[in-house]
Amino acid sequence: MSRIPNTPSMPEPTPEEHALSQRLTDLIRAEITRAGGAIPFARFMELALYAPELGYYSAGKHKFGAAGDFVTAPELGSVFAQCLARQCAQVLDELRDDVPGSTSAAGDTAPGTEKVRPAGAILEAGAGSGALAVQLLLELERLGRLPARYQILEISSALRARQRALFTENAPHLLERVQWLDSFPAAGFRGIVLGNELLDAMPVERFRVGAHGIVQLQVGWEDDCFVWRETPANDALHKRLAALNLPEGYVSEIGLAAEGWVRSVADILEQGVLLFVDYGFPRNEFYHPQRSTGTLMCHYRHRAHADPLILPGLQDITAHVDFSAMAAAGMEAGLDLLGYASQALFLLGCGLDKIAACVPVDARVQLTLANEIKKLTLPHEMGELFKVIALGRGVDAPLTGFRLQDRRARL
Ligand SMILES: C[S@@+](CC[C@H](N)C(=O)[O-])C[C@H]1O[C@@H](n2cnc3c(N)ncnc32)[C@H](O)[C@@H]1O
């Protein structure tokens, strides 16, 4: 997302938006009442973003691009997808060259009867408008490296419909390869699991370091609005957070849902790579003394601000990603940490410069492309704040995206 800070002179929601937000508010309030006066912030965030038909991502609201609330890398143009396609192609090639899968009971293979296991699949989680899926598959087709299947795991049914419509409009011939999943595929997945700005959209717990220990920030209701409530952190949360040694007064988040998600997807990966692109830091920068009010960010019609309790259902709520925690979650599940780099250096490692050099010499096309590349790579745009992390199993070759920079040691 474009992270340019903005003074939140908020545009007024339309009457329809007000009505939708009111229905979601009623639903959350009812849950707060049932829970005895407060719910954990992670639950509030989950409902605000994903309550069926009412949450920010579940209602039909336009979120992505100039007409929405924020812009993500695939919405800028096709360069991001073209770069990722080259990384995916390398991994798919690795899997294609895998050992023959059919052997006799004795372990040997009769000549001429080898069955090479089918090339891997791509599973994209949180595919948003579908822009990355469409552009990535078109590029892999151009490179002659289409995966056997392109699976999409998307929590929002409104977005699933939008993704299907985008394929129908732009790449109908590829639809037969695309499959929408309701849950993780069964164990034995071989291929690439991709997520762009997925982990930042998962619910986080919020906490404050109090004088007498760590308190969990919850959400209650008072005077016609959502308000913060505090409760002592439970033992598990306390143990995790106490280890960070944060000073009194420090407020931040912990992405337990994203950690759990990475562990679950690691469990189904037989061979291949998990590749996540998102904004965030290694743990020591995430919990930096200067970042003492946390990383929560909300977006409403390109206004960025830090109050997640307003505009329920109308604004996006995100938190930065603690990449050390994501690496640890994957490694606990037996994965290897394969790379960690800034988005800029990763895209260059994938051949961004060569992709840019192949563009027609039309001045307008060149200008649009130059703007797209600037947004993706400049340090004050997405180039440095956004990182790419790769975890994998059974992949020996160094990944091409990390050939110019690999900061694994910082995690
Ligand atoms: C910030 S948007 C990013 C969309 C897209 N990847 C892009 O870059 O434009 C987050 C996406 O993740 C989806 N999402 C969040 N949690 C998810 C989960 N647990 N499983 C699948 N999709 C999820 C949301 O519905 C949404 O499509």
Side-chain angles (χ1 to χ4, degrees):
M1 290 172 204
S2 182
R3 303 270 130 205
I4 300 139
N6 235 312
T7 326
S9 50
M10 236 42 109
E12 191 46 34
T14 63
E16 294 74 33
E17 285 178 331
H18 265 304
L20 193 78
S21 187
Q22 189 55 53
R23 285 175 58 208
L24 180 61
T25 299
D26 294 345
L27 182 127
I28 300 175
R29 272 185 68 188
E31 185 157 330
I32 289 175
T33 306
R34 281 198 301 277
I39 53 174
F41 176 70
R43 178 63 180 156
F44 174 87
M45 183 167 166
E46 186 183 348
L47 290 169
L49 297 181
Y50 305 111
E53 289 169 37
L54 298 176
Y56 176 77
Y57 283 106
S58 317
K61 191 173 179 274
H62 206 98
K63 299 159 249 298
F64 309 100
D69 302 306
F70 53 81
V71 175
T72 59
E75 303 291 330
L76 293 170
S78 62
V79 169
F80 182 74
Q82 288 180 59
C83 292
L84 285 191
R86 279 154 180 77
Q87 180 57 88
C88 290
Q90 185 209 357
V91 176
L92 291 171
D93 284 352
E94 278 260 316
L95 301 181
R96 208 169 260 130
D97 291 337
D98 194 24
V99 288
S102 165
T103 54
S104 73
D108 54 347
T109 307
T113 64
E114 299 94 341
K115 271 197 227 143
V116 174
R117 287 200 274 179
I122 296 179
L123 165 61
E124 186 186 354
S129 71
L132 178 60
V134 168
Q135 293 162 8
L136 190 66
L137 273 185
L138 285 172
E139 184 65 8
L140 285 169
E141 180 181 45
R142 216 181 56 77
L143 297 172
R145 313 284 243 297
L146 275 174
R149 277 162 294 126
Y150 195 96
Q151 299 175 316
I152 296 183
L153 184 61
E154 172 55 66
I155 201 170
S156 154
S157 47
L159 286 176
R160 282 179 186 215
R162 209 163 141 204
Q163 293 153 11
R164 188 182 287 279
L166 200 74
F167 265 104
T168 308
E169 203 178 311
N170 296 291
H173 63 293
L174 294 174
L175 254 176
E176 61 179 18
R177 262 170 221 269
V178 186
Q179 193 186 4
W180 279 266
L181 305 179
D182 293 320
S183 55
F184 286 127
F189 180 86
R190 297 176 73 247
I192 301 147
V193 178
L194 267 185
N196 184 59
E197 295 209 27
L198 165 77
L199 301 172
D200 75 75
M202 295 197 180
V204 292
E205 289 296 356
R206 192 153 160 86
F207 64 88
R208 185 175 69 79
V209 182
H212 305 291
I214 291 164
V215 290
Q216 186 184 358
L217 294 178
Q218 300 206 332
V219 180
W221 177 263
E222 196 177 303
D223 293 338
D224 274 346
C225 55
F226 292 114
V227 289
W228 292 108
R229 293 268 184 258
E230 295 193 348
T231 185
N234 63 31
D235 285 351
L237 198 56
H238 196 277
K239 207 168 154 206
R240 267 293 292 272
L241 298 173
L244 298 170
N245 266 326
L246 298 169
E248 192 183 327
Y250 197 95
V251 176
S252 192
E253 302 84 39
I254 180 162
L256 299 178
E259 287 177 29
W261 193 92
V262 169
R263 272 194 293 272
S264 303
V265 80
D267 283 345
I268 60 139
L269 185 73
E270 181 187 316
Q271 191 189 16
V273 173
L274 314 184
L275 198 67
F276 301 114
V277 187
D278 225 310
Y279 39 90
F281 317 99
R283 179 165 300 147
N284 62 341
E285 286 177 50
F286 189 97
Y287 296 111
H288 192 276
Q290 286 174 354
R291 200 162 279 120
S292 61
T293 55
T295 69
L296 276 186
M297 258 306 174
C298 306
H299 290 87
Y300 178 63
R301 300 212 207 138
H302 295 272
R303 264 68 163 187
H305 68 97
D307 187 353
L309 304 188
I310 62 168
L311 299 168
L314 302 186
Q315 65 175 0
D316 189 23
I317 307 173
T318 80
H320 285 44
V321 174
D322 169 358
F323 281 103
S324 303
M326 299 309 126
M331 288 157 74
E332 273 162 31
L335 301 188
D336 304 314
L337 178 59
L338 301 179
Y340 175 65
S342 68
Q343 173 171 294
L345 271 291
F346 177 83
L347 296 180
L348 283 162
C350 289
L352 171 61
D353 47 341
K354 293 186 195 75
I355 292 165
C358 294
V359 166
V361 211
D362 175 290
R364 233 173 331 158
V365 177
Q366 295 267 0
L367 189 64
T368 311
L369 181 79
N371 281 333
E372 184 183 346
I373 292 176
K374 276 191 204 163
K375 282 234 155 61
L376 290 172
T377 60
L378 286 181
H380 63 277
E381 297 274 2
M382 298 169 126
E384 187 54 40
L385 178 59
F386 282 68
K387 315 288 190 316
V388 185
I389 189 171
L391 290 145
R393 202 190 304 278
V395 174
D396 299 326
L399 298 185
T400 185
F402 301 97
R403 69 194 165 87
L404 300 178
Q405 182 186 72
D406 190 350
R407 296 180 182 161
R408 264 179 285 186
R410 291 203 191 171
L411 291 175

